[in-house]
C-alpha cells in the first residue's frame, strides 16, 4: 500500500491543494457595462463642447460687445410760462393728467385784456374815419386846377392822408396785439404729455415769463447709456441696441442716435490764482471714463411704463442678433456683484 502522510489525509490540506490547482477564472466585464461607460464619455464630451460654446458666447457679449448697466431713461420737460400776467381764475388740469398739445391748462383773468381789445377796436374805427376825411380832402385838392391851389397845398393834403393811413395801420396792429393777449389768458400745453408736480391753485398770480406748470413730453423719451471709454471703438451711430429696464422682463429696442463729443474734467478748472487745478491721483488706479451715448427708442412693449430716471442695462449689438434676456439678467447681476465687492476696495485705496 502507498504511504500516506498526515497532510494528505487532512481534509483542510486537501482543500487548500485543490484550490491551488483548480482556481476559477476571473469574471468577464459584461457588454452592458461597457456601453454605459461609452455613453458617459460621450455625454461628458457634449457637455464640454457646450461649455466651450457658452464660454465663447459669454466672452463675445460680456467682453467684446459694448454694454453697460449704467443707463438711464431720459425725457424732455416743457416748463410752460404765461405770456401775459394776471390772476389765475381757473385751473383745468390736475396732477399727473395726460394732455394733448393745445389743451388749456389754466386761465388768467381776461377782464383787463377784453377792455384792451375794446379800446383798440375803437381806436381803429377812429383812425379809419380820419383816413377817409384826409383822403377826401386830398382828392378835392388834386382835382382843382385853379391858380388858387398851389402845388405845395396839394402835397400837404396828400401827406396828411399818408399820415392818417400810417396811424390806421398802427391802430390795427395794436388791436391785433390786444386780441393775441386776450387769447394768451388761456395758457395751453405746447406738447403731448402729462402734467407733473402741479402746485398752482386758483388765486395765484401768474407772471410773464415765469414757469408755473410742467408737462412731461411723452414723445421725447430716449435712453442715455454711459459706456466705458474702452468700449467706444465698437459703438457707431446707427447700431442696434437692446435695453432692459430694472424691474421689467420685456426689453426695449433702439438705435444709437448720437455720441457725446465731450465730458467734463476736474483738471480743467482754474485755481484762485488762475493756474490749472490738477487733482492728485494714484497711478495704479485708473478708472475708465464714462461717455454718454444717446439711444433712440424704436419700440416699447405696451406693458412697460416709461418713467424718466429709470435704470437700464444697454447692449449695443451692431449687426449681431440681440442678446437673450437671461444673459442680460446674468450680466447685470454679475456686474452689480463685481461693483459691490470692488468699490469699497477702490474707495479705501483713494483715501
Amino acid at each position: 500500500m502507498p504511504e500516506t502522510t498526515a497532510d494528505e489525509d487532512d481534509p483542510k490540506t486537501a482543500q487548500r491543494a485543490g484550490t491551488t490547482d483548480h482556481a476559477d477564472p476571473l469574471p468577464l466585464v459584461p457588454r452592458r457595462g461597457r456601453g454605459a461607460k461609452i455613453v458617459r464619455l460621450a455625454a461628458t464630451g457634449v457637455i464640454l463642447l457646450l461649455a466651450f460654446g457658452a464660454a465663447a458666447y459669454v466672452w463675445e457679449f460680456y467682453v467684446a460687445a459694448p454694454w453697460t448697466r449704467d443707463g438711464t431713461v431720459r425725457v424732455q420737460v416743457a416748463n410752460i410760462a404765461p405770456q401775459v400776467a394776471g390772476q389765475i381764475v381757473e385751473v383745468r388740469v390736475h396732477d399727473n393728467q395726460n394732455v394733448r398739445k393745445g389743451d388749456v391748462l389754466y386761465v388768467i383773468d381776461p377782464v383787463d385784456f377784453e377792455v384792451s381789445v375794446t379800446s383798440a377796436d375803437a381806436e381803429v374805427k377812429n383812425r379809419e374815419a380820419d383816413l377817409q376825411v384826409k383822403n377826401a380832402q386830398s382828392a378835392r385838392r388834386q382835382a382843382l386846377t385853379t391858380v388858387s391851389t398851389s402845388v405845395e397845398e396839394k402835397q400837404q393834403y396828400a401827406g396828411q392822408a399818408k399820415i392818417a393811413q400810417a396811424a390806421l395801420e398802427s391802430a390795427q396792429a395794436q388791436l391785433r396785439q390786444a386780441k393775441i393777449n386776450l387769447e394768451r389768458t388761456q395758457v395751453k400745453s405746447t406738447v403731448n404729455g402729462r402734467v407733473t408736480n402741479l402746485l398752482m391753485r386758483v388765486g395765484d398770480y401768474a407772471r410773464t415769463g415765469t414757469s408755473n406748470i410742467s408737462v412731461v413730453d411723452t414723445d421725447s423719451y430716449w435712453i442715455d447709456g454711459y459706456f466705458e471709454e474702452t468700449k467706444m471703438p465698437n459703438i457707431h451711430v446707427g447700431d442696434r441696441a437692446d435695453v432692459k429696464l430694472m424691474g421689467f422682463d420685456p426689453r426695449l429696442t433702439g438705435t444709437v442716435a448720437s455720441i457725446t463729443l465731450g465730458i467734463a474734467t476736474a483738471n480743467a478748472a482754474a485755481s484762485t490764482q488762475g493756474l490749472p487745478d490738477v487733482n492728485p491721483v494714484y497711478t495704479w488706479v485708473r478708472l475708465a471714463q464714462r461717455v454718454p451715448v444717446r439711444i433712440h427708442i424704436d419700440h416699447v412693449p405696451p406693458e412697460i411704463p416709461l418713467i424718466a430716471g429709470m435704470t437700464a442695462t444697454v447692449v449695443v449689438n451692431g449687426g449681431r442678433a440681440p442678446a437673450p434676456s437671461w444673459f442680460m439678467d446674468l450680466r447685470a447681476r454679475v456686474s452689480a456683484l463685481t461693483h459691490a465687492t470692488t468699490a469699497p476696495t477702490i474707495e479705501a485705496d483713494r483715501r
Side-chain angles (χ1 to χ4, degrees):
M1 295 180 63
E3 295 181 358
T4 61
T5 63
D7 292 338
E8 291 177 351
D9 296 336
D10 189 355
K12 295 183 179 179
T13 304
Q15 184 178 3
R16 287 197 298 270
T19 303
T20 303
D21 296 339
H22 305 284
D24 294 335
L26 295 175
L28 298 177
V29 178
R31 294 183 178 274
R32 184 177 179 182
R34 292 181 179 179
K37 185 176 181 181
I38 294 175
V39 171
R40 287 195 299 269
L41 292 176
T44 303
V46 171
I47 292 174
L48 289 176
L49 290 177
L50 292 177
F52 282 118
Y57 186 81
V58 170
W59 177 268
E60 171 67 17
F61 279 99
Y62 190 83
V63 179
W67 74 279
T68 179
R69 68 182 183 89
D70 190 10
T72 306
V73 179
R74 300 285 305 279
V75 74
Q76 293 179 345
V77 180
N79 295 314
I80 300 175
Q83 295 178 284
V84 295
Q87 189 178 38
I88 298 174
V89 295
E90 184 181 359
V91 178
R92 297 188 180 179
V93 294
H94 56 79
D95 198 19
N96 296 324
Q97 176 180 335
N98 292 326
V99 295
R100 304 292 298 176
K101 182 178 180 179
D103 289 350
V104 177
L105 303 176
Y106 63 92
V107 179
I108 297 174
D109 189 359
V111 175
D112 294 340
F113 301 96
E114 292 172 348
V115 172
S116 297
V117 170
T118 302
S119 177
D121 185 59
E123 182 65 16
V124 168
K125 294 177 179 178
N126 185 26
R127 294 302 178 180
E128 288 177 345
D130 185 60
L131 178 60
Q132 291 178 356
V133 173
K134 299 300 182 183
N135 285 335
Q137 291 177 349
S138 177
R140 287 197 302 270
R141 294 295 178 179
Q142 295 295 333
L144 294 176
T145 58
T146 60
V147 181
S148 60
T149 305
S150 64
V151 176
E152 290 79 3
E153 289 178 335
K154 293 181 180 180
Q155 292 178 347
Q156 181 181 2
Y157 280 100
Q160 292 176 353
K162 291 182 179 179
I163 293 174
Q165 177 65 36
L168 174 61
E169 293 176 355
S170 177
Q172 290 174 339
Q174 292 178 0
L175 175 60
R176 182 184 177 188
Q177 184 64 59
K179 290 181 177 180
I180 291 175
N181 289 340
L182 178 60
E183 293 178 357
R184 287 173 175 173
T185 58
Q186 295 188 347
V187 181
K188 301 177 180 179
S189 176
T190 58
V191 296
N192 299 323
R194 178 176 294 184
V195 178
T196 184
N197 195 28
L198 181 63
L199 300 177
M200 70 164 54
R201 56 178 297 178
V202 173
D204 289 348
Y205 190 84
R207 301 183 183 278
T208 303
T210 302
S211 175
N212 54 9
I213 189 170
S214 300
V215 179
V216 176
D217 185 357
T218 53
D219 297 331
S220 67
Y221 280 103
W222 78 93
I223 304 292
D224 266 349
Y226 302 96
F227 290 85
E228 294 178 350
E229 55 185 312
T230 54
K231 304 290 186 180
M232 297 310 298
N234 295 325
I235 300 178
H236 309 87
V237 174
D239 287 349
R240 184 172 61 183
D242 293 317
V243 180
K244 185 179 185 306
L245 301 179
M246 183 182 296
F248 293 91
D249 291 332
R251 291 179 296 168
L252 287 67
T253 57
T255 306
V256 176
S258 60
I259 301 174
T260 299
L261 293 183
I263 55 177
T265 173
N267 293 337
S271 67
T272 55
Q273 296 179 340
L275 300 177
D277 186 9
V278 180
N279 295 325
V281 296
Y282 294 106
T283 57
W284 62 86
V285 178
R286 298 184 63 188
L287 300 179
Q289 295 288 347
R290 295 277 181 169
V291 179
V293 175
R294 187 176 182 129
I295 307 296
H296 176 269
I297 301 176
D298 297 330
H299 173 70
V300 180
E303 62 271 23
I304 294 183
L306 287 180
I307 300 175
M310 279 184 165
T311 303
T313 298
V314 184
V315 179
V316 176
N317 295 314
R320 297 182 296 273
S325 300
W326 64 266
F327 181 74
M328 297 185 69
D329 293 337
L330 177 62
R331 172 184 289 177
R333 293 175 182 176
V334 171
S335 178
L337 179 61
T338 303
H339 177 76
T341 55
T342 59
T345 304
I346 296 176
E347 186 64 24
D349 292 340
R350 287 179 176 177
R351 294 176 181 176

